[in-house]
Amino acid sequence: MSDLEKQAIDAKKAALILMNAGTAEKNRALAAIADEIIIRQPEWLEANDIDMEKAKQAGLSKTMLDRLRLTPERIEGIADGVRQVISLPDPVGVVDKMSERPNGLIIGRRRVPLGVIGIIFEARPNVTVDAAVLCLKSGNVCILRGGKEAINSNKVAARIMQDALEKAGLPKACIQLVQDTSHETADELMHMNDYIDVLIPRGGRGLIRRVATEASVPVIRTGEGVCHIYIDNDADLDMGARILENAKCSRPSVCNAAECVLVHKDIEAEFLKKAIPFLDKYEVALRCDEQALAVVGSGRAEAANEEDWDTEYGDYVLAVKTVESFDEAVEFINTHGTGHSEAIVTESYSKAQKFLDRIDAAAVYVNASTRFTDGGEFGLGAEIGISTQKLHARGPMGLEELTSCKYVIYGSGQIR
């Protein structure tokens, strides 16, 4: 029996306890986690320093290093995030439907935890805590498998949370970390149908598609974000330039960052003249089609190839595509988007409404940055990821999306 299978067995046992834990009990555990994170901050930072040094030696990009880095301010923010989860309503046990049948049976639908959730993610140690506490509040046990870049940080985070669980009287197996970051353990996790109820991958396109393709455990795809901003010929161009700057540059490594801007041919020269100074502040590299390249110039940009229209850069790189019409923009987005977040900048009410209707994505914006696709920004509290599929959950996945339902039936001797 492998170490991972032993963890999974413990997780299954812990799930039977956690699913019956009350809101007050779970909130006490969350409060203990928040307190322990602050108390043991030096231990976590020391482990993160080791990961950062190894990552630099391995040549990780600046944006990936930023995702990996912990600071006292970020740790305080993580602890605050845990406390925010305490304040969120507990979805477990909520009866959202009740009816009486003609035969006298009373049938209710009650929200229940999914059970054991496996989460495979990349180099973001904050995800270790975010995912664990959301699972805990929604009554789910989690088995976390992070990337090798953050293994030291993740081990300390898991240890801190497990110690807090024990102090609060819950099994430490409610939150588990896979200690081995090899591909073999990821493969094993993807096929643990007897123990894991659902698998959630968080990371880049390669990771998400590999898990979705190879796993036999049910998968919720999250985070694959080739997001677009369409600058319409009826747009406020100054607004469009500011929105593009925010969507591309505020945090380019996250899944709701814009990767491609579509610009209507009639206003392209004027818009790019306004937008490029904003992008220059961040040294954003441009990949332009032939018409946009003629406007920008080969000294500032390079020619795009077909791969650029489908690439999630996760960096200060932006594809620029010229479109002849609104309809071409919609068709391009629906062809090359990943169903995450798409935006139009326009002053035309009719085109805004058509965009909302015709774009097939989890979040569709009019005159706003795609960077708002986030559980906190949507008023859901924290999130475990942005689902880009349509079954079970779509968009930011908060506590309610981490539950399923079961039917409870009250009778008085009825037989069929």
Side-chain angles (χ1 to χ4, degrees):
M1 182 183 295
S2 69
D3 290 341
L4 183 53
E5 187 172 1
K6 292 176 184 176
Q7 285 183 290
I9 291 171
D10 289 341
K12 201 74 173 177
K13 293 176 181 176
L16 296 174
I17 297 172
L18 186 57
M19 68 184 291
N20 290 300
T23 302
E25 192 175 0
K26 291 184 288 187
N27 283 344
R28 280 197 300 273
L30 291 168
I33 287 172
D35 292 343
E36 200 76 5
I37 283 172
I38 297 301
I39 292 168
R40 294 169 65 176
Q41 179 182 145
E43 182 183 347
W44 202 8
L45 288 171
E46 184 178 348
N48 185 248
D49 286 343
I50 297 171
D51 288 331
M52 286 294 296
E53 184 58 36
K54 289 182 177 179
K56 289 173 185 175
Q57 293 174 3
L60 256 67
S61 69
K62 185 191 302 184
T63 53
M64 290 303 293
L65 288 172
D66 180 62
R67 296 178 81 163
L68 176 61
R69 181 179 293 108
L70 288 173
T71 65
E73 293 75 22
R74 287 185 177 183
I75 290 176
E76 184 67 46
I78 291 168
D80 286 343
V82 179
R83 297 186 184 101
Q84 289 171 16
V85 173
I86 295 173
S87 68
L88 296 175
D90 186 349
V92 177
V94 172
V95 177
D96 57 17
K97 185 177 181 181
M98 182 75 77
S99 62
E100 184 174 355
R101 302 294 298 151
N103 62 5
L105 286 178
I106 298 173
I107 301 176
R109 187 171 64 186
R110 180 190 296 171
R111 303 218 68 81
V112 295
L114 292 171
V116 178
I117 299 177
I119 302 171
I120 300 178
F121 58 100
E122 295 178 335
R124 294 180 67 183
N126 64 298
V127 173
T128 310
V129 177
D130 293 346
V133 299
L134 284 168
C135 287
L136 181 64
K137 180 67 180 258
S138 56
N140 295 290
V141 168
C142 62
I143 299 179
L144 307 167
R145 193 273 187 188
K148 64 182 179 181
E149 297 85 359
I151 185 60
N152 294 289
S153 305
N154 289 341
K155 283 181 177 180
V156 171
R159 193 158 58 239
I160 289 170
M161 290 188 289
Q162 288 177 336
D163 290 347
L165 284 172
E166 286 194 311
K167 288 181 180 179
L170 288 173
K172 68 178 185 179
C174 290
I175 298 172
Q176 298 201 51
L177 177 75
V178 179
Q179 303 293 303
D180 178 6
T181 60
S182 67
H183 286 302
E184 288 74 20
T185 56
D187 290 339
E188 186 179 0
L189 195 63
M190 286 189 268
H191 295 93
M192 303 190 84
N193 298 64
D194 291 338
Y195 306 109
I196 295 176
D197 295 288
V198 66
L199 198 58
I200 301 176
R202 288 190 58 169
R205 171 179 288 194
L207 169 68
I208 293 166
R209 294 196 172 184
R210 176 170 170 257
V211 173
T213 301
E214 297 182 14
S216 55
V217 173
V219 173
I220 299 176
R221 295 173 66 148
T222 71
E224 188 178 348
V226 178
C227 305
H228 300 79
I229 307 288
Y230 167 50
I231 309 298
D232 183 51
N233 57 325
D234 289 320
D236 177 327
L237 301 187
D238 291 313
M239 177 197 293
R242 293 192 300 271
I243 287 173
L244 179 60
E245 177 192 16
N246 179 264
K248 175 72 260 183
C249 305
S250 61
R251 200 169 180 193
S253 63
V254 295
C255 61
N256 57 21
E259 302 293 7
C260 180
V261 60
L262 308 178
V263 189
H264 194 284
K265 64 180 180 61
D266 292 349
I267 48 85
E268 183 167 51
E270 186 181 356
F271 172 73
L272 291 176
K273 183 178 179 180
K274 291 175 179 291
I276 286 178
F278 288 103
L279 302 175
D280 283 345
K281 292 188 295 182
Y282 304 88
E283 300 181 354
V284 175
L286 301 178
R287 307 279 190 268
C288 297
D289 68 359
E290 185 176 351
Q291 188 167 327
L293 188 62
V295 173
V296 177
S298 57
R300 174 62 182 84
E302 61 183 74
N305 56 46
E306 285 302 313
E307 290 183 358
D308 284 302
W309 311 133
D310 300 294
T311 298
E312 185 177 7
Y313 300 108
D315 206 343
Y316 291 105
V317 182
L318 178 69
V320 184
K321 171 72 175 174
T322 310
V323 292
E324 299 285 321
S325 65
F326 170 87
D327 288 337
E328 183 185 347
V330 168
E331 181 180 358
F332 185 91
I333 290 171
N334 283 336
T335 300
H336 296 278
T338 54
H340 194 296
S341 301
E342 309 292 357
I344 183 174
V345 180
T346 186
E347 296 296 290
S348 166
Y349 176 82
S350 62
K351 282 191 277 189
Q353 296 309 305
K354 288 178 183 178
F355 193 83
L356 294 175
D357 292 340
R358 292 171 58 184
I359 292 296
D360 187 14
V364 188
Y365 293 83
V366 175
N367 296 332
S369 169
T370 56
R371 288 280 287 110
F372 285 103
T373 307
D374 173 86
E377 295 293 339
F378 280 17
L380 305 175
E383 66 174 44
I384 203 153
I386 311 294
S387 171
T388 54
Q389 63 187 44
K390 298 179 183 180
L391 288 179
H392 178 69
R394 195 180 196 193
M397 291 182 61
L399 294 173
E400 185 173 320
E401 287 73 28
L402 293 176
T403 62
S404 181
C405 68
K406 69 177 174 184
Y407 285 88
V408 294
I409 302 95
Y410 298 91
S412 55
Q414 288 90 338
I415 59 174
R416 181 178 180 183

